[in-house]
Amino acid sequence: MRKPAILLLVLAAMLLALPAHARGARQGRLLEQAQAAFASAVRWSDYEQALQLVDPDWLAANPVTDLELERYRQLRVTSYREGGSIALPDGTVVREVEVGAVNRHTQAERTVRWRETWRWDAAAGRWWQGAGLPDFWDGH
């Protein structure tokens, strides 16, 4: 009599864990898709498209001006190397990236190491990139 009860408890625990696992797998797939879309937009120097994936809260605090977008448009991205990722305790995912670009006018090349931060928005059911665009000018 004890064996069936234990078996039922184990099955119930597995069924309760299943939706959480499925939700985690879904979030993982959505993160991969968002990261790939962001990387593709930056690789093709499509900064307007990349900004569509940037956290609206970050953009509200750090608006990108038309002048800044013009500066980005002068660059042609030549490389986008994705490094390791780490999930922080708060659920944010940080990914190291190295981005190379050439100025279309001067042919000067720049390479920056940069950290993408990704935040899950449960209300929107999507990931937002929370670090803006790479700073090729290092604050200049």
Side-chain angles (χ1 to χ4, degrees):
M1 190 73 177
R2 252 179 132 174
K3 213 175 205 180
I6 293 173
L7 184 59
L8 283 175
L9 283 174
V10 169
L11 284 172
M14 288 173 54
L15 287 174
L16 287 174
L18 186 60
H21 173 71
R23 186 173 50 247
R26 180 177 174 270
Q27 281 184 11
R29 280 192 310 277
L30 291 173
L31 175 61
E32 288 174 9
Q33 291 170 357
Q35 288 175 328
F38 186 82
S40 178
V42 173
R43 278 186 182 112
W44 287 100
S45 305
D46 188 351
Y47 302 107
E48 290 86 354
Q49 183 63 35
L51 286 171
Q52 298 298 313
L53 297 161
V54 173
D55 190 336
D57 294 338
W58 187 92
L59 283 173
N62 306 282
V64 178
T65 66
D66 290 339
L67 177 61
E68 288 171 318
L69 271 178
E70 270 311 306
R71 289 181 78 192
Y72 278 103
R73 287 183 190 116
Q74 293 177 16
L75 298 175
R76 183 178 54 85
V77 173
T78 57
S79 65
Y80 190 95
R81 293 184 183 95
E82 301 157 6
S85 292
I86 186 166
L88 301 179
D90 67 356
T92 302
V93 175
V94 177
R95 178 167 76 163
E96 298 288 328
V97 177
E98 183 180 274
V99 185
V102 172
N103 184 299
R104 296 177 194 271
H105 304 294
T106 65
Q107 296 300 301
E109 186 173 11
R110 298 170 184 198
T111 302
V112 295
R113 290 185 180 265
W114 179 63
R115 286 190 176 149
E116 296 174 353
T117 59
W118 293 89
R119 175 183 69 83
W120 174 251
D121 183 345
R126 62 171 296 165
W127 288 90
W128 294 108
Q129 200 282 101
L133 297 174
D135 185 359
F136 294 103
W137 302 275
D138 198 28
H140 295 69

